[in-house]
Amino acid sequence: MGLFTSNPLPDPVGDAAPPVDEHPSRITEVLGHLRSSADSRITHPRRFRAQQLRALEKMLAERMGEFLAALAEDLGKSATEAKFSEIDVVRSEIDHAQRHLSEWMDSTTVKVPFALQPAIAKVEPRPLGVVLIIGPWNYPLQLMLAPLVAAIAAGNAAVLKPSELAPATSGALAKLLPMYLDARVYAVIEGGVDTATELLHARWDHIFFTGGQQVARVVAEAAAKHLTPTTLELGGKSPAVVDNHLLPTAKRLAYAKFMNTGQTCVAPDYVLSFGDTDALISRLGQAITSFYGKDPINHPDFGRIVNRKHFDRLVGMLDSGEVVHGGDYDADTLRIAPTIMRHIDLDSALMQEEIFGPILPVIEVATFDEALEFIASRPSPLAAYLMSESPRLQSIFSDRVRAGAIVHNAPLAQMVIPSLPFGGVGASGMGSYHGKYGFDRLSQIRSELSKTTVIDTLSAIYPPYTWAKRKIIDRLL
Ligand code: NAD
């Protein structure tokens, strides 16, 4: 088990958490230190939160090269794609939080019923305490730091546990984060299942988990022991229903599917096509070639599969139907070409599991209604896409499909709008974040009521309940 909190520079703000060595009990020690700093409420003031958000922004600006190199090492990500999908998305979250922090932190005064007047009632978001953030390997930087932005903005301390399957990015975070953020209240703990298991034994004020459904059950069970609230950002099979088979549709679908080599939680998992499916398949092929050329496996803008296990799983899926585009792979470099398949065995792993790779099954359905029934008969996905210009179909789709997000004609674009909540429903997760939704998710939305004892208006409702008092109570409440 490799653990972190290296702090190679002198601690800029004072009393940093002690560095963790190889001994597991040190996790407990670091957490104890972090909790006592958090209990002293140093994370609460607006100034502190704003300062830490600025420090995070500074880290991304100054250390971008190191993060991009780590992402290339872990997943073969092209620098352009990694910059906008991992770094710029977080910077935009930071910018949005900085601009709205005061407004989000403000308490709201609410109306007091006549019977309780005079009094002041307000709702105020309060920090929760210490948040554990566990992340996956596919966007190993974004999915650690975007929840961290919400945790900082909401005035919490946080521990980050990055994925061990993206070790270079995990190492870069463990090295760089403590150089910029206040190490008394923010820590990175590196490691795999053993480390995550040990972390889950501890008491947290919130666990923010991004990953698969199987591990989510382990997280939810561990959280239940302490009655800890969780946010579960999971995956699933996000469908794309296609009514408009033109080239722009094919390009948008191919872009959303094959970005990050299909290893994106909200990538269109499969297509449900009614109408001219032959034309759609031919245009999808055209789109792929226009993006990645005739030899996509060797194209610098097309990444690799994270590891051999996932590579073998994906190659195994190529037997589940007819490959009509792509299908090449290279086990030495863990690369699989963007692949389109049709005539799919619906009982195969390709259609029973989240694909999470560069294979796009196209399933033909006779009608739009059949597509809706197909989606409804499966677990609720993280996103559902409709490629259609018809307002009627769009309206029916929004009304009938249950998914974390409904998107018409712009798959993936929902991710980068900080004012939109990002999260799943049912099997694809619980709770959402980004922008104010993340702030609220990691806050306690607290009620506060103040009355004076100088005027005792409440005496009108105290026992004994005489006839006159009952009349008053009936009128007041
Ligand atoms: P995963 O569930 O295998 O691992 C996620 C994290 O959990 C890792 O940090 C890992 O170390 C930890 N973990 C693994 N086993 C554990 C255990 N037994 N106990 C405690 N922690 C454990 O997920 P992954 O393979 O890294 O990521 C892929 C999945 O994540 C896909 O299902 C994808 O759809 C989903 N995902 C969701 C989102 C989203 O925002 N909703 C984003 C990206 C990925």
Side-chain angles (χ1 to χ4, degrees), residues 245 258 269-285 317-327 338-346 348 350-351 355 358-366:
H245 298 75
F258 300 113
D269 185 272
Y270 63 93
V271 164
L272 293 170
S273 161
F274 61 100
D276 196 351
T277 302
D278 290 342
L280 176 70
I281 287 174
S282 136
R283 284 165 189 150
L284 281 169
M317 288 178 169
L318 296 173
D319 292 334
S320 315
E322 182 191 347
V323 171
V324 288
H325 186 95
T339 298
I340 310 290
M341 293 179 67
R342 75 190 298 188
H343 304 131
I344 310 294
D345 171 3
L346 295 183
S348 65
L350 183 70
M351 282 312 294
I355 298 172
I359 305 170
L360 183 62
V362 177
I363 295 157
E364 294 174 69
V365 287

Side-chain angles (χ1 to χ4, degrees), residues 81 122 126 131 192 278 280 296 314 356 439 451 453 471:
E81 203 171 285
K122 61 181 186 178
R126 304 285 302 169
V131 176
D278 290 342
L280 176 70
L314 288 162
F356 223 56
F439 175 89
K451 257 187 93 60
T453 52
K471 283 281 161 212

Side-chain angles (χ1 to χ4, degrees), residues 134-138 143 161-164 193 196-197 200 209-212 215 218 233-235 265 354 356 382 422:
I134 300 179
W137 51 263
N138 62 330
L143 297 171
K161 207 300 279 171
S163 171
E164 71 282 17
V193 178
T197 306
L200 288 173
F209 171 80
T210 307
V215 180
V218 176
E233 296 285 339
L234 315 180
C265 56
E354 181 181 13
F356 223 56
L382 199 50
F422 181 74

Side-chain angles (χ1 to χ4, degrees), residues 176-197:
L176 299 174
L177 202 96
M179 292 164 71
Y180 287 83
L181 262 60
D182 190 328
R184 290 172 297 177
V185 283
Y186 306 114
V188 181
I189 297 187
E190 288 192 89
V193 178
D194 289 352
T195 307
T197 306

Side-chain angles (χ1 to χ4, degrees), residues 156-371:
N156 297 300
V159 168
L160 277 62
K161 207 300 279 171
S163 171
E164 71 282 17
L165 298 185
T169 311
S170 172
L173 270 172
K175 176 185 147 204
L176 299 174
L177 202 96
M179 292 164 71
Y180 287 83
L181 262 60
D182 190 328
R184 290 172 297 177
V185 283
Y186 306 114
V188 181
I189 297 187
E190 288 192 89
V193 178
D194 289 352
T195 307
T197 306
E198 194 183 346
L199 286 167
L200 288 173
H201 282 143
R203 182 176 67 80
W204 303 93
D205 298 298
H206 193 101
I207 300 174
F208 193 107
F209 171 80
T210 307
Q213 288 161 2
Q214 210 179 334
V215 180
R217 289 190 182 93
V218 176
V219 171
E221 215 175 307
K225 295 219 167 72
H226 296 285
L227 293 178
T228 302
T230 56
T231 298
L232 303 176
E233 296 285 339
L234 315 180
K237 292 180 83 63
S238 297
V241 175
V242 177
D243 161 47
N244 172 339
H245 298 75
L246 301 176
L247 190 58
T249 293
K251 282 192 167 170
R252 288 186 196 187
L253 281 174
Y255 176 74
K257 175 71 186 189
F258 300 113
M259 187 175 136
N260 204 31
T261 326
Q263 302 169 117
T264 301
C265 56
V266 278
D269 185 272
Y270 63 93
V271 164
L272 293 170
S273 161
F274 61 100
D276 196 351
T277 302
D278 290 342
L280 176 70
I281 287 174
S282 136
R283 284 165 189 150
L284 281 169
Q286 242 178 293
I288 291 168
T289 310
S290 74
F291 294 165
Y292 305 113
K294 290 221 152 61
D295 183 21
I297 284 189
N298 293 311
H299 196 282
D301 289 337
F302 192 67
R304 69 168 168 81
I305 305 306
V306 66
N307 59 23
R308 184 66 199 233
K309 185 174 145 214
H310 280 286
F311 175 87
D312 290 342
R313 179 182 65 79
L314 288 162
V315 169
M317 288 178 169
L318 296 173
D319 292 334
S320 315
E322 182 191 347
V323 171
V324 288
H325 186 95
D328 314 326
Y329 52 85
D330 179 347
D332 292 335
T333 58
L334 299 182
R335 283 173 199 258
I336 301 175
T339 298
I340 310 290
M341 293 179 67
R342 75 190 298 188
H343 304 131
I344 310 294
D345 171 3
L346 295 183
D347 294 324
S348 65
L350 183 70
M351 282 312 294
Q352 294 297 320
E353 292 168 13
E354 181 181 13
I355 298 172
F356 223 56
I359 305 170
L360 183 62
V362 177
I363 295 157
E364 294 174 69
V365 287
T367 59
F368 179 57
D369 228 51
E370 195 182 321

Side-chain angles (χ1 to χ4, degrees), residues 355-428:
I355 298 172
F356 223 56
I359 305 170
L360 183 62
V362 177
I363 295 157
E364 294 174 69
V365 287
T367 59
F368 179 57
D369 228 51
E370 195 182 321
L372 297 184
E373 278 161 25
F374 191 98
I375 298 169
S377 66
R378 286 166 168 73
S380 303
L382 199 50
Y385 303 112
L386 174 64
M387 310 304 282
S388 171
E389 292 300 325
S390 157
R392 190 180 71 81
L393 295 192
Q394 291 186 2
S395 157
I396 297 171
F397 195 77
S398 305
D399 196 38
R400 285 192 36 197
V401 175
R402 186 172 184 256
I406 300 289
V407 180
H408 304 299
N409 298 319
L412 245 54
Q414 75 273 21
M415 287 274 302
V416 296
I417 303 175
S419 307
L420 282 181
F422 181 74
V425 60
S428 54

